[in-house]
Amino acid sequence: MTVLSRRRWLQWGTATGASLLAAGVRANPAPPRRFRIFMVLGRGEGTNEQGFKDYLARRGLEIDYIVRDTGGDASLLPGIIQEIKELRPDLVYTWGTPQTRAVVGPWDDPEPGPYVRDLPVLFTYVAAPRDAKIVPNLERPGGNVTGTIHIAPVAAQVNAILAYRPIRRLAAVFNPAERNSLLMIEEMRRECARRDLELIEAPAPLTDGKPDPLDIPHLIARCRELGGEMLYLGPDTFFTTTHRHQVAAVALAERLPSFSATELIVRTDRALFALSSSPYGIGRLTGVKAVQILLEGQSPGEIPVETLRRFSVLINMATAKELSCYPPLSLLNLAEVVGV
Amino acid sequence: MIRDPIRTLVFRLTAVTLALLLILSLLASWLALHQFERVLFPELRLKAQGVAEVLTRQIDRALGYGVPLAELPGLSAALATEVAAHPDIVYIGVETPDHRILAAQGQRPAMPRRSAVAAPDDLEILAPLTGQHGLEAWLRLSLDPDWVAKASTDLILEVASVILISVLVAFEVLLLVAHLSLGRVRATGTPRAYRPGSGSPFNLVFLRLPVFLFCLSEEVTRPFIPTHAQALAPTAPWLPHDLAVSLPITLFMLIWALSQPLGARLSGRIGRRRAFILAALLSALGLTLTALTDHLLAFMAWRCLTALGYGLALITAQGMVVDHTKGHNRASGMALFIGALLAAGVCGPVAGGIITDEAGATTTLLVGAVLALMAAATLGLLLPKGERHGPPGTPAWHRDLSPAIVKLARNQRFTALMAFSAIPAKVAATGILFCLIPLLLTESGADKAEIGRVQMLYFLFFIIASPLAANLSDRWQIRRGFIVGGGLATLAALIPLALVDQAWGPYLAIALFGAAQALISAPQLSLVTQIATRVRVAEITAIGWYRLLERLGGALGPLVVIGLAASGSYHEAALGIGLVCAGSALLFWLLYRRASPALHALETHP
């Protein structure tokens, strides 16, 4: 029985039934394609990657993941990029600003040599992709790159800080060697000026271009001595990921309430509160973009760089108690609470 | 009129139907209202319990995390949000078991008064706040004992006005239906079958419903025109704010007054029936465009267009009455016409206010447009086609305009009557009723339905007092006294508006104001006709001038009121208008008396 004769028979059927069946006939699918996604991570697989993988699995994609983790060591990146160029995966997934910058390079650098420019690259956990020159434009990133942003806009962060406590002086520690931290501090400077807030900046001193963890206690103590009423922790890998345990403990010892733009340091350590996207949600949003590239065949340059519309407040109640710095009822109503 | 047995029957049926309708709706409303308080209060308490529960859950969550209640920031702010959101909740506080108040918002009624619907205990809700170690505090929430009473008063007034409207509308419809059936009963004996508008004798009752519907189309806009203009004022920032508010009404009145001579000419050219339909369509168009605009200039322009339609339609309808009545039945014909006008005045503002509160001013304006279309349609259906254009011998007041006004103006009594009674009275009527009342009541927080109710009272008391005043002034042959009395009564009426700071102040003032204006109306007309006879000017011409002049006074009203309010308050403006009316009434008394004592005696005792 050929497809043709079956179609003829179907013409006698009802209109809806016919079209449904015909669609079934036409869509007779080729065996599902397996995709290869190359992941370039900086601190191992997290909830974020879990959300990404879960989403793609639920959409029925069969994927082979090739995972490489720098563990914060940038010297590994050239080798990883070489591997990408040899393997030619269907999609490159990059976590964090340093990894993404190394893979795609500044968009206005005409020299394609060391960068991946001919494979779709999907980044995540990049706080300021435009300022980091990863994309020229968030709406239409152009080229072979798109991705997701994981932090709330700076104005929303300042709103959250002021909702917790009406302060006048905000102190920020950051690693000047991290591009995204510098960009975030620049934006914070503008926002604080707009709101008549004083921003106390405490950049980590660099030796050989690297910050030293031994400087952390001294930096945070200085923030307090200069009159900082709240410690600001931006999307800074050195302070909020690698050395988060020490940072949170020192802030607590100095009795300085701390706000973080990412949630890990509040969830696993003793920073006071955070305004952040759920990492799992960001992973899913990144998954949506992967589907657009892999299944729907869209060019990454046409897919806007986005962030989640909702951010959640996460409060570490143990820290609040120890500091006697309790959240107001209105903020508490919206917040997730840990450390009870 | 009522000697005809069929007419008598119809009249009685109408009366019985209306009486039944009135009794039944009053009964149903009374039963509903009786239940209202009983049902409302438990609902309010339930809602308050809901509010208490939401707050308790929020505070308990904080307590559960070990936040000490005394150190919980934002507690007062959370209580304040709820107190502000619920007008029936006057107080929310958090107190320790030993009655120390940790946070409180609003004023706790010191000793809950006994209320008809609630025991004192019912007016308070106490909810325990529990933390990690059991009871930590109480949340106390107090309901406003007066709120239920106010809510049910509002509802009673609203229901009463709706009943009044439905009875009046039912009356208009019944009157028409009765007369249509009357025609059919009469026609069955004769060879030609009866059809409305098919050569049967012209029945003025058929004019009444179209006129009623048409007036209603404008009356529904009364409660919100000035506040609407106020809201649009920022779109024309170069126009002084006071002018932006008053000018739309002033322009409307002005165009209305000036469209009168035009109306006579128009119906002369295309016939009264077509002129009325055209004018009603013009009005419908004006109302629709007004509804759709959000710019003050366009708003004023479309109000002018509506005014043109309004003026043309009313003068045309009046012309129809004149065409089809003669001296002996003209008064009853006019009464029919004015009855429709006043009925619309009673129904329109309230209905418009309720619609505006529920669906917004745009909807009300569109409803007005539909009513104007219905007026055109009903007139088209009910009145015979092919009626003569401008029937010969119809007295048209505009025919010998200039010589008439010269004669009239030379008459000191006429000028005194116009300058010190007719014009001030209309300044007060439009200024107070259409401009000041919506602004003043909106300022004190009233909704549009309440504004409509107050405006309705004017027409209601005018209707009640008007025949009485006309009758008494005829019987006692006192015209001047009534006019002067009316002017002084206007001042007395406006005193509550200026000085009483209670909710019933405006109601009382406007009811008295309606009655005071009724004292003046009929005697003014009588004096005008007397003067016309004396100076040998056609009666209809003199009345035409009188109406034109008083309507120009009407156009001045909003400007005067807003001008007075600009240099003081709305309350002072009301008092100012009252003083103007009383002062000019006294001047009128002096001047009219001096004019010609001998002739005065002749006129009052013919």
Side-chain angles (χ1 to χ4, degrees), chain A residues 4-5 26 47 57 86 106 131 139 144 148 154 161 166 232 257 276 279 324 340:
Chain A
L4 196 71
S5 66
R26 256 180 308 211
T47 322
E86 282 161 15
D131 296 335
E139 288 298 308
N144 62 326
T148 52
V154 169
I161 291 170
Y232 175 74
S276 62
S324 272
V340 183

Side-chain angles (χ1 to χ4, degrees), chain A residues 170-297:
Chain A
L170 183 65
V173 287
F174 59 97
N175 174 9
E178 286 183 44
R179 199 183 162 80
N180 54 327
S181 293
L182 282 177
L183 298 170
M184 193 55 57
I185 285 296
E186 269 171 35
E187 219 175 308
M188 186 54 96
R189 242 175 247 150
R190 286 195 292 272
E191 188 64 32
C192 284
R194 198 158 35 233
R195 310 233 195 169
D196 215 9
L197 271 173
E198 188 188 330
L199 182 67
I200 300 163
E201 296 179 30
L206 303 177
T207 29
D208 300 334
K210 282 185 177 175
D212 184 350
L214 291 175
D215 285 327
I216 290 173
H218 145 78
L219 275 174
I220 295 177
R222 178 130 187 82
C223 284
R224 205 182 57 79
E225 283 157 18
L226 288 173
E229 295 164 274
M230 179 88 67
L231 183 66
Y232 175 74
L233 303 165
D236 182 304
T237 312
F238 178 78
F239 282 100
T240 60
T241 308
T242 321
H243 299 286
R244 62 178 189 270
H245 185 68
Q246 195 191 352
V247 170
V250 172
L252 194 57
E254 292 287 342
R255 302 197 62 75
L256 192 58
S258 47
F259 167 86
S260 171
T262 52
E263 62 161 55
L264 196 63
I265 193 169
V266 177
R267 205 175 275 285
T268 63
D269 292 275
R270 298 284 300 274
L272 179 62
F273 77 118
L275 180 75
S276 62
S277 309
S278 96
Y280 191 83
I282 283 290
R284 284 172 54 86
L285 181 64
T286 316
V288 169
K289 296 189 186 294
V291 167
Q292 288 175 333
I293 295 167
L294 296 176
L295 277 192
E296 297 166 20

